[in-house]
């Protein structure tokens, strides 16, 4: 990165050349673990590209040397300027404006802001599904102390529909709380359909995008999402320690932050001269302190990387691999937990003794996650654009042999 905040180019993805199809076999060179592992667990954590590592290291080197910023500004002001550039890139990546984006530290930060900021009244209710991530479940459980009723959509063989949410909705329903793509089985919600239902009660659609951003294209404006939280360390193959929180611009004025700090306000003033409400009418009001700027710059490199491939190309590649996996498992009569024809990066399949079998798979350098749902063990497999068809075949073959 340069002192004036301008981007210092990192190498483009290997196998990406203008006017040519992406060479995914060559692209794998940017992810060294793929030389050793059949890595099919991006839903747990995405592999870090050489380009993101370089961006992260450049920031740390700059701080270590402390010699690459103008005499008329501080190194912190330079980092803040770069962060605004990254904010614009995050916004464009999900179809938002930069004023609708706040930086956070994890997905749960955004969920806490959204769910704790709603003006709940006793007797109000929220609808969530039983495949939701545990963080939101904890927040919702705490809301019961305010007299909020939590209504739960129960999946049927891994399937849930907007109609299931509608059936639990009434005039006191204030929020639908969903994972865009379920961490449990890859169920992918129709966000626009859910938005149409909840907006009919003047409620909010609160979305966890941890398992979708970077895997599938997101357009928060077209899908009429109210709140969305995301992180880069899974499908964006980016760093830990930074996340983003989207808030639809019409909601921001008057919506309370869950905490305050120096970066929440338009400017610093003494307590005697401070305005009664010094918060800006942008999502920056939800930031309260100094960011992990090395991770912010890593996030930028991660977005640049996937844009160099092309989000459409990356999505098509990822979904084609997950589709192939579902087909091969069905051919082998393996019971799927993932809904039929799900356009999802995650594939879950029930296998007896999956957890014990997973240790054997690790010995064969095959990396997936083994879990249990209501006492029945299953594998969660999550291929990404850097995987090859041979990786799918290797897992399916190993599973058949162990079974």
């Amino acid at each position: 990165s340069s002192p004036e905040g301008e981007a210092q180019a990192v190498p483009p993805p290997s196998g990406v050349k203008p006017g040519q199809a992406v060479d995914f076999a060559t692209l794998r060179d940017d992810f060294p673990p793929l030389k050793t592992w059949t890595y099919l667990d991006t839903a747990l954590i995405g592999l870090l590209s050489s380009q993101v590592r370089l961006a992260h290291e450049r920031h740390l080197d700059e701080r270590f040397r402390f010699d690459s910023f103008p005499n008329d500004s501080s190194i912190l002001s330079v980092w803040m300027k770069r962060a605004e550039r990254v904010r614009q890139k995050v916004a464009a990546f999900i179809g938002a404006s930069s004023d609708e984006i706040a930086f956070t530290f994890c997905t749960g930060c955004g969920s806490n802001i959204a769910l704790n900021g709603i003006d709940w009244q006793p007797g109000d209710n929220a609808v969530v599904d039983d495949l939701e991530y545990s963080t939101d479940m904890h927040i919702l459980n705490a809301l019961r102390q305010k007299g909020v009723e939590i209504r739960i959509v129960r999946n049927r063989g891994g399937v849930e529909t907007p109609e299931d949410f509608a059936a639990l909705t009434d005039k006191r329903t204030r929020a639908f709380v969903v994972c865009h793509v379920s961490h449990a089985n890859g169920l992918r919600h129709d966000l626009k359909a859910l938005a149409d239902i909840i907006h009919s009660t003047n409620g909010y659609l609160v979305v966890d995008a941890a398992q979708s951003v970077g895997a599938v294209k997101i357009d928060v404006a077209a899908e009429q999402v109210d709140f969305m939280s995301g992180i880069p360390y899974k499908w964006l193959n980016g760093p830990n320690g930074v996340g983003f929180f989207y808030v639809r611009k019409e909601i921001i004025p008057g919506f309370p932050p869950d905490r305050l700090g120096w970066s929440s306000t338009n400017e610093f003033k003494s307590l005697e001269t401070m305005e009664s409400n010094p918060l800006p009418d942008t999502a920056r009001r939800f930031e309260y302190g100094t960011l992990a700027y090395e991770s912010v710059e890593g996030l930028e490199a991660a977005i640049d990387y996937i844009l160099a491939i092309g989000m459409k190309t990356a999505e098509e590649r990822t979904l084609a691999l997950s589709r192939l996996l579902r087909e091969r498992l069905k051919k082998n009569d393996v019971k799927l937990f993932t809904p039929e024809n799900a356009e999802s990066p995650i594939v879950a399949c029930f296998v007896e003794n999956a957890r014990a079998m997973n240790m054997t798979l690790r010995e064969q350098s095959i990396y997936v996650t083994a879990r249990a749902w209501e006492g029945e063990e299953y594998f969660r497999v999550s291929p990404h654009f850097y995987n090859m068809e041979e990786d799918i075949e290797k897992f399916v073959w190993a599973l058949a042999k162990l079974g």
Side-chain angles (χ1 to χ4, degrees):
S1 304
S2 72
E4 298 300 330
E6 297 302 321
Q8 191 175 88
V10 296
S14 300
V16 174
K17 296 180 180 179
Q20 298 183 22
V22 177
D23 181 350
F24 286 102
T26 300
L27 178 144
R28 289 164 61 88
D29 292 341
D30 296 336
F31 302 92
L34 295 177
K35 293 180 170 62
T36 305
W37 288 93
T38 300
Y39 189 79
L40 294 164
D41 209 7
T42 299
L44 176 69
I45 189 166
L47 298 180
L48 203 67
S49 70
S50 301
Q51 290 80 352
V52 171
R53 179 185 178 185
L54 177 60
H56 202 275
E57 289 178 339
R58 282 179 174 174
H59 179 96
L60 295 178
D61 187 54
E62 176 182 70
R63 182 177 178 186
F64 180 74
R65 291 183 289 104
F66 214 78
D67 63 359
S68 60
F69 58 98
N71 291 331
D72 61 350
S73 65
S74 70
I75 195 167
L76 181 59
S77 67
V78 170
W79 293 344
M80 292 171 66
K81 181 178 179 180
R82 293 178 192 155
E84 291 309 306
R85 181 185 68 225
V86 183
R87 190 191 307 272
Q88 293 174 0
K89 290 187 176 183
V90 171
F93 193 70
I94 64 168
S97 70
S98 60
D99 284 345
E100 296 173 307
I101 300 297
F103 287 116
T104 61
F105 303 103
C106 64
T107 314
C109 291
S111 296
N112 271 281
I113 295 169
L115 293 174
N116 289 319
I118 295 172
D119 183 21
W120 300 99
Q121 300 299 318
D124 286 344
N125 67 79
V127 182
V128 66
D129 64 81
D130 61 356
L131 298 171
E132 182 68 18
Y133 193 63
S134 60
T135 294
D136 288 345
M137 293 296 197
H138 283 295
I139 301 170
L140 291 169
N141 185 53
L143 290 176
R144 286 172 165 156
Q145 299 176 21
K146 296 183 177 181
V148 178
E149 179 189 0
I150 308 303
R151 299 176 176 178
I152 302 174
V153 172
R154 305 290 179 183
N155 81 86
R156 303 175 307 282
V159 176
E160 298 163 357
T161 67
E163 290 74 22
D164 295 329
F165 281 77
L168 296 180
T169 301
D170 59 28
K171 63 182 181 180
R172 298 296 302 273
T173 303
R174 301 297 308 282
F176 285 172
V177 184
V178 299
C179 289
H180 186 192
V181 172
S182 169
H183 73 102
N185 74 335
L187 169 75
R188 181 175 172 181
H189 281 292
D190 182 339
L191 298 182
K192 178 59 168 61
L194 292 175
D196 288 343
I197 298 167
I198 190 61
H199 290 162
S200 70
T201 71
N202 294 317
Y204 301 103
L205 179 59
V206 183
V207 180
D208 176 334
Q211 296 291 1
S212 59
V213 64
V216 298
K217 181 175 174 56
I218 294 173
D219 188 333
V220 289
E223 293 163 325
Q224 298 184 13
V225 173
D226 297 305
F227 302 97
M228 177 177 282
S229 302
I231 38 85
Y233 73 84
K234 294 181 185 290
W235 300 94
L236 272 173
N237 306 108
N240 302 76
V242 66
F244 68 84
F245 177 50
Y246 160 81
V247 188
R248 184 163 54 83
K249 60 184 177 182
E250 291 83 3
I251 298 172
I252 296 171
F255 199 88
D258 68 333
R259 65 199 73 187
L260 295 168
W262 68 265
S263 61
S264 307
T265 62
N266 288 311
E267 60 180 301
F268 175 78
K269 296 181 180 180
S270 69
L271 192 60
E272 289 77 8
T273 60
M274 189 176 290
E275 302 169 27
S276 60
N277 181 22
L279 300 177
D281 289 336
T282 72
R284 291 169 185 81
R285 63 166 52 203
F286 303 112
E287 298 173 12
Y288 59 91
T290 304
L291 301 172
Y293 289 107
E294 65 273 26
S295 293
V296 172
E297 293 188 36
L299 168 59
E300 179 178 36
I303 291 176
D304 288 347
Y305 188 95
I306 203 163
L307 289 178
I309 296 170
M311 187 60 234
K312 184 173 185 291
T313 298
E315 177 182 18
E316 289 176 349
R317 171 74 178 176
T318 299
L319 295 183
L321 290 168
S322 66
R323 199 176 302 121
L324 173 64
L325 176 56
R326 289 199 309 273
E327 292 170 356
R328 294 289 287 111
L329 290 170
K330 286 177 64 178
K331 185 177 179 180
N332 287 3
D333 294 324
V334 178
K335 179 184 174 184
L336 293 178
F337 188 22
T338 303
E340 186 81 17
N341 300 320
E343 287 295 289
S344 170
I346 294 174
V347 178
C349 59
F350 289 107
V351 176
E352 189 175 354
N353 298 320
R355 285 172 167 160
M357 290 170 62
N358 200 30
M359 296 299 100
T360 304
L361 292 177
R362 293 281 175 91
E363 292 171 0
Q364 298 175 23
S365 299
I366 299 173
Y367 206 111
V368 295
T369 285
R371 291 183 167 181
W373 178 264
E374 296 183 344
E376 193 172 1
E377 295 190 11
Y378 71 96
F379 283 112
R380 186 188 69 182
V381 190
S382 47
H384 204 10
F385 59 73
Y386 45 53
N387 287 112
M388 305 298 288
E389 288 77 2
E390 291 82 357
D391 296 333
I392 303 299
E393 298 298 340
K394 184 175 180 180
F395 169 74
V396 173
W397 180 86
L399 190 62
K401 188 175 181 180
L402 288 172

